[in-house]
């Protein structure tokens, strides 16, 4: 009835309380530095390869009221890296950075809760703003096979010259749907940008010459259990 619909629409605090769950993310990853930007130019002999990875982890949070909430995410395993095809003295060199990292996000949410009459469920559209830290776990670079088509026959690993931690900011948009009054299903698009320089320098290149910032665009899917 109209009165039932009105009461459901006006009840905007169905998401209140603690929650916990799991999350999975598909990531478009970048290490932004001079080399990466040069490889994206159409007139450069060098080439920056677009990187993709995935992350998985756990999340927990608390919705304070119908407007504000907070959440912590721990991505247990995530890929960070970049691959370049560089032209050097008549041959191409494959220069690769590939690391497993663990990521911790601390996020505040501005919530816009409503009732979706088509799905007959409560929903929330959220703006996200937060900070993160990426912690180095393992170098997983491997020598790639020889690719005669690309003339790539030399491999060089650079991950040893990068810092063990990186700190950054997180911004994004999240859509949540409340199912069975207890399960929060979420989809999120998030941008991450590292504020700190990851490159520590080596015997050939000083730290300041190759400033490197981690960046990514991520599409996340999650399922969380709401504790009221």
């Amino acid at each position: 009835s109209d009165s039932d619909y009105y009461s459901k629409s006006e009840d905007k605090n169905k998401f209140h309380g603690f929650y916990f769950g799991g999350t999975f993310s598909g990531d478009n990853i970048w290490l932004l530095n001079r080399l990466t930007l040069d490889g994206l130019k159409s007139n450069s002999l060098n080439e920056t390869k677009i990187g993709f990875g995935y992350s998985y982890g756990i999340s927990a949070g608390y919705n304070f009221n119908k407007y504000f909430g907070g959440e912590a995410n721990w991505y247990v395993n995530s890929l960070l890296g970049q691959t370049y095809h560089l032209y050097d003295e008549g041959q191409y060199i494959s220069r690769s950075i590939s690391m497993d990292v663990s990521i911790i996000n601390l996020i505040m949410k501005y919530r816009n809760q409503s009732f979706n009459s088509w799905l007959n469920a409560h929903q929330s559209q959220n703006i996200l703003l937060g900070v993160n830290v990426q912690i180095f776990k393992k170098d997983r670079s491997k020598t790639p096979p020889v690719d005669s088509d690309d003339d790539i026959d030399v491999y060089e690993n650079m991950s040893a010259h990068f810092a063990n931690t990186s700190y950054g900011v997180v911004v994004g948009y999240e859509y949540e749907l409340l199912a069975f009054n207890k399960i929060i299903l979420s989809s999120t698009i998030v941008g991450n940008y590292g504020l700190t320089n990851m490159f520590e320098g080596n015997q050939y290149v000083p730290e300041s010459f190759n400033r490197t910032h981690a960046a990514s665009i991520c599409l996340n899917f999650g399922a969380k259990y709401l504790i009221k």
Side-chain angles (χ1 to χ4, degrees):
S1 66
D2 291 341
S3 60
D4 290 338
Y5 174 76
Y6 180 80
S7 64
K8 289 179 180 178
S9 301
E10 290 300 305
D11 185 2
K12 295 180 180 292
N13 211 22
K14 289 290 187 179
F15 289 87
H16 179 264
F18 287 99
Y19 60 85
F20 66 92
T23 182
F24 178 86
S25 175
D27 311 327
N28 173 213
I29 54 178
W30 296 90
L31 292 180
L32 298 179
N33 53 32
R34 292 184 181 183
L35 186 57
T36 299
L37 297 178
D38 178 72
L40 295 174
K41 296 177 181 177
S42 59
N43 60 348
S44 175
L45 292 175
N46 302 322
E47 179 185 7
T48 298
K49 307 295 288 185
I50 298 175
F52 295 96
Y54 65 89
S55 309
Y56 57 86
I58 58 177
S59 60
Y62 184 78
N63 293 321
F64 305 104
N65 51 46
K66 63 184 180 181
Y67 295 115
F68 295 101
E71 183 172 299
N73 310 126
W74 176 31
Y75 288 98
V76 180
N77 198 74
S78 182
L79 176 67
L80 178 65
Q82 197 81 56
T83 298
Y84 311 96
H85 291 178
L86 307 179
Y87 188 80
D88 183 26
E89 297 181 352
Q91 68 174 339
Y92 276 98
I93 298 174
S94 180
R95 178 169 293 178
S96 178
I97 307 162
S98 184
M99 297 174 282
D100 283 337
V101 296
S102 181
I103 302 175
I104 298 173
N105 294 333
L106 299 176
I107 297 172
M108 290 298 297
K109 302 183 181 184
Y110 177 73
R111 307 177 58 80
N112 180 19
Q113 298 178 191
S114 61
F115 183 77
N116 188 317
S117 58
W118 185 66
L119 295 175
N120 194 34
H122 292 269
Q123 64 183 10
S124 184
Q125 300 180 68
N126 310 324
I127 301 299
L128 312 181
L129 179 63
V131 296
N132 70 11
V133 56
Q134 300 185 48
I135 304 168
F136 173 83
K137 289 174 56 181
K138 177 183 178 183
D139 183 350
R140 68 187 199 92
S141 301
K142 295 180 179 178
T143 303
V146 174
D147 188 339
S148 58
D149 292 335
D150 291 336
D151 194 26
I152 305 296
D153 58 3
V154 179
Y155 175 81
E156 187 174 338
N157 173 33
M158 302 198 309
S159 60
H161 308 307
F162 283 75
N164 289 331
T165 56
S166 173
Y167 303 91
V169 295
V170 182
V171 294
Y173 166 83
E174 178 183 50
Y175 177 80
E176 293 179 320
L177 188 71
L178 186 61
F180 310 112
N181 219 32
K182 286 287 187 181
I183 306 299
I184 302 174
L185 304 176
S186 64
S187 59
T188 312
I189 183 166
V190 175
N192 302 280
Y193 181 76
L195 298 176
T196 56
N197 179 18
M198 295 181 61
F199 186 68
E200 293 187 322
N202 55 42
Q203 57 182 329
Y204 304 108
V205 182
E207 174 185 350
S208 59
F209 186 76
N210 190 37
R211 293 189 62 86
T212 301
H213 299 270
S216 62
I217 300 174
C218 309
L219 183 61
N220 304 337
F221 299 95
K224 295 162 278 192
Y225 182 77
L226 181 62
I227 305 172
K228 297 190 176 182

